[in-house]
Amino acid sequence: MKANTNLPLEVSSLLGRDAAVADLQMQILENRLITLTGPGGNGKTRLAIKAGRALLGSFEHGVWFIDLTGVLRDSGVAGAVSRVLGILEEAGTALSQTIARQLENRSILLVLDNCEQVLAGSADFSAAVLANSPHVKIVATSREPLRIRGELVSQIPPLSIDDGENLFYERGLQSGGVFSNGYSESTVIRTIVKQLDCVPLAIELAAARSPMMDPEQILAGLDRRFDLLNGGVRDASARSRSLRASVVWSYDLMSPEEKAMARRLSVLRGFTLEAATAIGGGTAPLDQLQRLVEMSIVQVDRSGPQRRYRFLETVREYLLEQLVENGEVLPARSAHLAHFIDFSEFRAEHLILGDGPILMAQIQTEFDNLEDALIFAESLSDPSALLRLLTALTGYYEIWGQHQHGMRWFDTSLARTRAPDVLVARAYWGASHVSAYGGRMDLAFPRAMRALELAREIDDPWTESRALDIIGFAQAVSDPKGARESLSRCIELGRQINDGWAETHGIKMITVVYLFSHHVAGGSETIQNLLLLADETESRYLRAWGSALKGYFARDAGDFSAARDSLDISIESASYVGDPATGGFAKAWSAALKADNGWVDEARREMQDMMQTATATGTFLAVPETMFQLGLIEVGAGNPQATIEMIGDHTEDLKSAGIPVWAAQLALANASAHIALGKLDEANALLDEAEELAASLDNPLLSGLNFFFRGQLSLAKGDLGAAEGRLHQALEIQRDAALLPGLLRTMEAISSVLIAKEKGEDAARILTFVDQARLEIQLERSSVELARRSSQSYALENLLGISNLEKMQSKAKNADLEEIIGLMSRMRGKRARPLTGWDSLTPTERRVVSLTTAGLSNPQIAERMFIARGTVKVHLSHIYEKLDVASRTQLAAKAVADGFEVVN
């Protein structure tokens, strides 16, 4: 819900309804459900829109218009609402309940328009929402009441004779008619208005004939049509017969070509000029469409970026009847299906590129037409068209988060038989892609493997490349090497057949491999390539994901400013393109960064809100990551039980879903909570599980955390030797991977061991450095860490005395990281790094040398390594000192002369 309304714009005045609009506004403010009833064409919709717009300021979260004319089944009402509000379906939960829960704390007005053909569904939906969302109000328009508790039924009266006459004159003039404004003419027009029972739509249709007929001719034509209708349906109301008379008369006045086009176009639920040309047929479709507009048979909507056309539902109902009577349903529906297959296949190839958001918006606009096409395709004995259309919609289901909806359609299509192998193979890929983004890797992998098998049997590189894309994605969570091989082949095939989607998406997926293995060196280069590709293609979809990962790695490197900037770009870009999955990850990492900066309450609130709405908003793929980050935050805030309760069975669920890396993360957070509660045996078992789950990933972040928590576990047991050993293992991993925030926390924990061993001077030097480093990168301590640091200060004062402690702190305040780590290595009896020469360089410094000798500038190195420019400068100064060089030129020459091995 990005804006606060989607109410259609008014294209003409609403005559004679000022009092009704004012009354309806008061009714809305005083009641929660108002149903505007009356025959078709009586102005119910326009009245609801006018009142809703006037009340925009009364509803904090907006006024939302839901057009139900395109809904065929009662079960589709909630779906129509969800698409307008951007709320997605949850597996195993009624969509109306999901919507009700999401709207629980929102002040909002829903306008449900044209409820009559889905009356039961409208009633059930309204009842569910009103019962569970106390600040939601509903205005429904229908030819009959919903008949549920609390409903205020408001019968909309016809216009007065005077207002009807004014309406006739206004619409006639707008159509190009010329009037004498004489008394006799006025008398005839008033007679027309009376004949039409003052029904606004009937008056407008009649007035549209003014350029070709004078009022007397219009009245005569209507009289003949009433004679025919009087022998019709006995229980039709007078006003319904009046409207139908006007519609039938307008139809009778069309040329045969215009009638044929109108009938064919009636299968469309709103349409563009392109669709009208493709489906309407005829020798001059544009001219015929213009005539239908002039006759007010077709309405024009100019409110969006692309002009759209539609029939009023009363007119469309009649045209559909004529379509059936003329035996034209099959050819019209077939043309409709063919057009939307072409429409979807063209857009499928470009959704992740620069014009993707525009194309995505076009697909969303045509959702009802696409659903109609799918339903018709399902009814055909040959499933080929169904498979083609679904495969083309795969990217839409992914990016817009319509995973449940897409998976249901794919399940239906794959149960069909007798389709060509190439279409079946491609549908298996589509099903695997939607399943993967729906968090069902257990379904995605076998479906992708089946697609790959079929593709290789029939030599279809298009499907093979896409199947490898999802196989690589699935492998990324447990087999990084295999994932890189699959994705490299995907990219290679994409280039061979000039398939930009396969190449581009494969590059994106390789960055996911580096995310799950937390491989900074490989990840930084691939992410940089992805961002360059995003610039080349003007793709904010690619920029959203690349920036999210850039922010993620920058945060773990301790460059919080760069992380914040990148994550902000990602969140904004993901919102623009409508990519809830990427947006979810970026928001989770952004919230975790806020906790690092000390804004714990804000971080907690954002994470909790996101998890509560995850399935409905499409951000659920980021829930395990969010849960991991929030679990650690809660332990740090002194709420370990909250972490345990939040994680619950999710670790097992992720293992079952085939995503061990996220299961390992949750096991680590859970272990930390159990250590805090003194449940040490349970914590040890969880750490063993996490280690096993992440064993194949070689992920330094997870390995470092595992050793860190094992060190804390040993400390809790009082085993100082084991604690020191585990913490130093964590220290070595975190140093080599440049995981600065984790490294500082580990150094702080080692200080606790040293204090327990009464090595106060060493502990004081380490803690002085940690305090200074935390201040520089703005890494705030959690409440538990603050309490621990206070205890350390108290213990050091007792061990050293305040005066000696201050002297030690003064000596240590200018120490750098390598000096302190060298000190800690010597404490352990290990040989520290040499002070000079190539062997003295840290892994991070070696990578700086590699990039420097490759010709990259400081800003480029910072960009590639996700660190600040100032940090690059500091690294270079240390490198120059250790290697006894004074410039980049000397450094490059020495690297060549000494045969320095470049770090990739």
Side-chain angles (χ1 to χ4, degrees):
M1 292 184 279
K2 298 173 185 176
N4 71 337
T5 188
N6 69 333
L7 287 171
L9 297 177
E10 295 181 79
V11 295
S12 59
S13 59
L14 182 61
L15 293 175
R17 295 300 195 191
D18 290 348
V21 170
D23 289 344
L24 179 56
Q25 289 180 52
M26 289 301 299
Q27 290 170 346
I28 292 170
L29 294 174
E30 296 173 357
N31 299 273
R32 295 194 59 209
L33 171 62
I34 301 95
T35 301
L36 306 182
T37 63
N42 214 29
K44 301 183 293 296
T45 299
R46 296 194 62 192
L47 183 59
I49 291 171
K50 186 86 170 180
R53 192 173 298 282
L55 290 175
L56 273 173
S58 300
F59 293 91
E60 181 183 354
H61 300 103
V63 179
W64 300 94
F65 181 82
I66 296 92
D67 184 0
L68 299 178
T69 55
V71 179
L72 302 176
R73 304 165 183 168
D74 286 320
S75 59
V77 173
V81 177
S82 73
R83 288 189 292 278
V84 170
L85 300 183
I87 295 173
L88 302 182
E89 186 176 357
E90 296 176 296
T93 302
L95 184 52
S96 59
Q97 294 298 325
T98 298
I99 294 170
R101 189 171 66 253
Q102 297 304 315
L103 299 183
E104 183 178 2
N105 298 313
R106 291 185 178 271
S107 168
I108 195 169
L109 174 64
L110 300 178
V111 179
L112 303 182
D113 190 45
N114 286 304
C115 296
E116 53 270 2
Q117 81 275 13
V118 281
L119 199 63
S122 301
D124 291 344
F125 170 80
S126 298
V129 169
L130 294 174
N132 295 282
S133 309
H135 307 296
V136 173
K137 296 191 175 189
I138 295 174
V139 172
T141 73
S142 176
R143 295 180 191 176
E144 56 182 299
L146 302 186
R147 297 184 177 88
I148 62 174
R149 182 177 299 176
E151 178 184 30
L152 173 67
V153 178
S154 179
Q155 178 77 33
I156 303 304
L159 294 174
S160 68
I161 300 293
D162 289 342
D163 288 329
E165 181 183 7
N166 291 335
L167 177 62
F168 188 98
Y169 275 118
E170 182 178 284
R171 297 298 185 263
L173 290 169
Q174 289 172 348
S175 299
V178 177
F179 299 101
S180 66
N181 293 316
Y183 175 77
S184 60
E185 180 185 74
S186 173
T187 301
V188 173
I189 290 173
R190 292 174 72 87
T191 303
I192 292 172
V193 170
K194 291 177 185 177
Q195 284 269 32
L196 295 175
D197 292 295
C198 299
V199 175
L201 177 57
I203 295 169
E204 292 191 31
L205 288 173
R209 294 294 171 182
S210 297
M212 297 167 289
M213 306 171 71
D214 60 33
E216 288 84 356
Q217 291 172 311
I218 293 173
L219 179 59
L222 285 173
D223 284 339
R224 288 193 298 273
R225 183 48 51 194
F226 273 111
D227 289 341
L228 292 174
L229 287 174
N230 283 337
V233 182
R234 290 178 176 273
D235 61 354
S237 70
R239 283 195 291 273
S240 293
R241 288 198 304 274
S242 300
L243 176 56
R244 186 172 177 85
S246 186
V247 172
V248 173
W249 180 60
S250 296
Y251 178 78
D252 286 347
L253 290 174
M254 296 180 195
S255 69
E257 293 79 10
E258 291 163 354
K259 289 179 181 178
M261 184 180 199
R263 291 195 301 269
R264 286 192 293 267
L265 293 182
S266 69
V267 299
L268 288 158
R269 298 182 183 277
F271 52 93
T272 61
L273 199 58
E274 177 189 17
T277 303
I279 299 168
T283 57
L286 298 184
D287 292 340
Q288 291 167 13
L289 180 61
Q290 180 61 35
R291 287 282 298 121
L292 295 178
V293 171
E294 291 170 354
M295 291 185 284
S296 293
I297 295 297
V298 170
Q299 309 292 309
V300 185
D301 180 3
R302 297 178 175 85
S303 61
Q306 185 178 22
R307 184 177 298 185
R308 288 183 66 79
Y309 303 85
R310 68 184 181 92
F311 295 105
L312 293 175
E313 194 59 19
T314 307
V315 175
R316 183 170 180 266
E317 287 173 1
Y318 179 75
L319 292 173
L320 285 171
E321 291 175 12
Q322 294 304 304
L323 189 72
V324 173
E325 287 185 15
N326 283 272
E328 298 170 330
V329 173
L330 182 60
R333 287 288 178 194
S334 297
H336 178 278
L337 174 59
H339 169 72
F340 282 104
I341 288 175
D342 291 342
F343 168 91
S344 302
E345 288 181 339
F346 170 78
R347 284 154 182 78
E349 297 300 313
H350 302 86
L351 283 180
I352 64 176
L353 302 180
D355 53 357
I358 296 172
L359 300 179
M360 180 66 73
Q362 291 172 0
I363 294 174
Q364 287 177 275
T365 300
E366 300 291 2
F367 184 89
D368 289 334
N369 278 316
L370 289 166
E371 282 293 290
D372 280 356
L374 286 169
I375 291 168
F376 175 69
E378 184 187 11
S379 72
L380 299 176
S381 58
D382 181 354
S384 298
L386 177 62
L387 296 177
R388 279 185 64 189
L389 182 53
L390 270 177
T391 301
L393 291 173
T394 295
Y396 166 73
Y397 292 140
E398 171 215 331
I399 297 172
W400 203 246
Q402 294 281 350
H403 310 110
Q404 295 296 327
H405 188 80
M407 282 193 280
R408 270 201 307 276
W409 268 116
F410 274 112
D411 288 343
T412 297
S413 70
L414 291 173
R416 303 287 296 274
T417 58
R418 295 187 300 162
D421 286 345
V422 65
L423 297 181
V424 174
R426 293 182 177 194
Y428 266 109
W429 161 73
S432 72
H433 192 94
V434 176
S435 297
Y437 277 89
R440 294 297 306 274
M441 207 64 76
D442 55 322
L443 295 177
F445 186 73
R447 288 175 169 178
M449 289 299 293
R450 178 58 178 153
L452 181 65
E453 178 185 3
L454 288 170
R456 287 176 172 169
E457 285 178 5
I458 60 176
D459 190 23
D460 177 18
W462 188 96
T463 302
E464 182 179 355
S465 62
R466 282 164 164 72
L468 286 167
D469 179 78
I470 293 301
I471 290 168
F473 185 14
Q475 290 172 319
V477 300
S478 59
D479 179 13
K481 183 175 181 294
R484 285 193 293 271
E485 291 173 355
S486 296
L487 292 166
S488 295
R489 179 59 179 157
C490 162
I491 295 167
E492 180 185 356
L493 280 171
R495 287 172 179 160
Q496 287 175 5
I497 63 174
N498 198 27
D499 184 346
W501 189 97
E503 180 183 353
T504 302
H505 209 273
I507 293 171
K508 177 195 172 187
M509 283 296 108
I510 283 186
T511 66
V512 176
V513 179
Y514 290 119
L515 165 67
F516 288 146
S517 59
H518 208 283
H519 193 295
V520 178
S524 63
E525 184 172 354
T526 310
I527 292 166
Q528 194 63 27
N529 291 339
L530 184 68
L531 290 172
L532 289 172
L533 186 59
D535 289 341
E536 290 172 9
T537 60
E538 299 182 342
S539 171
R540 294 179 73 174
Y541 170 86
L542 298 178
R543 175 154 295 283
W545 179 247
S547 297
L549 287 187
K550 187 176 177 182
Y552 168 80
F553 281 116
R555 173 180 172 249
D556 283 339
D559 190 347
F560 290 170
S561 177
R564 188 177 302 109
D565 290 344
S566 292
L567 291 171
D568 286 347
I569 291 171
S570 176
I571 291 168
E572 192 275 331
S573 296
S575 175
Y576 177 79
V577 301
D579 181 2
T582 294
F585 282 106
K587 288 175 182 177
W589 294 328
S590 177
L593 182 59
K594 289 178 180 178
D596 293 335
N597 293 145
W599 306 324
V600 174
D601 289 340
E602 185 176 348
R604 178 190 291 118
R605 183 172 61 254
E606 289 180 6
M607 289 181 170
Q608 288 175 342
D609 287 348
M610 196 182 82
M611 288 193 296
Q612 288 171 0
T613 63
T615 304
T617 57
T619 59
F620 59 87
L621 266 185
V623 166
E625 182 71 29
T626 307
M627 202 171 282
F628 168 60
Q629 301 288 352
L630 182 56
L632 296 179
I633 290 170
E634 292 292 12
V635 173
N639 306 315
Q641 190 60 41
T643 295
I644 293 172
E645 292 173 0
M646 175 183 64
I647 292 174
D649 296 327
H650 287 288
T651 305
E652 292 301 316
D653 293 341
L654 288 167
K655 287 161 62 178
S656 299
I659 313 179
V661 61
W662 286 340
Q665 289 187 168
L666 293 191
L668 285 171
N670 211 354
S672 175
H674 280 81
I675 292 170
L677 291 172
K679 299 179 178 180
L680 305 185
D681 290 340
E682 293 93 329
N684 191 64
L686 286 164
L687 290 171
D688 287 344
E689 181 182 21
E691 183 177 357
E692 181 181 352
L693 288 167
S696 62
L697 294 172
D698 193 25
N699 182 316
L701 176 69
L702 300 186
S703 297
L705 277 175
N706 201 306
F707 281 119
F708 174 75
F709 291 138
R710 288 187 188 277
Q712 289 193 323
L713 179 64
S714 297
L715 265 176
K717 289 180 176 179
D719 187 343
L720 297 181
E724 189 172 20
R726 296 301 193 190
L727 290 170
H728 273 275
Q729 285 176 291
L731 185 77
E732 188 170 338
I733 291 169
Q734 292 164 337
R735 177 196 62 193
D736 289 347
L739 300 171
L740 184 56
L743 184 67
L744 295 176
R745 291 186 173 104
T746 299
M747 293 170 75
E748 206 160 306
I750 290 173
S751 299
S752 293
V753 176
L754 294 174
I755 290 170
K757 289 184 172 184
E758 298 188 354
K759 296 182 178 181
E761 291 186 1
D762 293 335
R765 292 176 68 182
I766 294 168
L767 287 172
T768 299
F769 170 80
V770 170
D771 289 344
Q772 184 67 26
R774 276 183 175 269
L775 184 64
E776 288 175 359
I777 69 171
Q778 297 182 318
L779 176 62
E780 298 292 333
R781 289 183 171 90
S782 68
S783 59
V784 169
E785 289 172 332
L786 279 170
R788 186 182 297 128
R789 183 67 185 87
S790 178
S791 296
Q792 289 171 332
S793 295
Y794 180 75
L796 287 174
E797 288 175 3
N798 288 335
L799 278 174
L800 303 176
I802 294 177
S803 177
N804 286 336
L805 176 59
E806 289 176 348
K807 289 178 183 178
M808 290 300 304
Q809 290 170 336
S810 179
K811 290 179 182 179
K813 69 180 181 179
N814 294 320
D816 64 25
L817 178 61
E818 284 307 309
E819 182 181 344
I820 295 298
I821 288 181
L823 166 68
M824 297 172 76
S825 296
R826 289 191 293 276
M827 292 176 204
R828 290 279 295 156
K830 291 186 176 182
R831 183 175 65 85
R833 292 185 194 274
L835 297 178
T836 60
W838 291 109
D839 290 341
S840 70
L841 301 185
T842 68
T844 301
E845 289 169 344
R846 294 180 72 84
R847 180 150 174 76
V848 171
V849 172
S850 297
L851 297 175
T852 301
T853 56
L856 273 69
S857 64
N858 283 11
Q860 290 171 325
I861 294 172
E863 185 83 6
R864 186 69 63 86
M865 295 183 64
F866 314 126
I867 57 178
R869 296 180 184 183
T871 305
V872 177
K873 188 174 180 180
V874 171
H875 282 311
L876 280 172
S877 68
H878 290 165
I879 292 166
Y880 291 167
E881 183 178 350
K882 291 177 179 181
L883 299 181
D884 193 24
V885 297
S887 68
R888 284 171 167 266
T889 303
Q890 291 180 11
L891 175 61
K894 184 173 179 60
V896 172
D898 295 349
F900 172 72
E901 184 178 349
V902 174
V903 179
N904 292 319

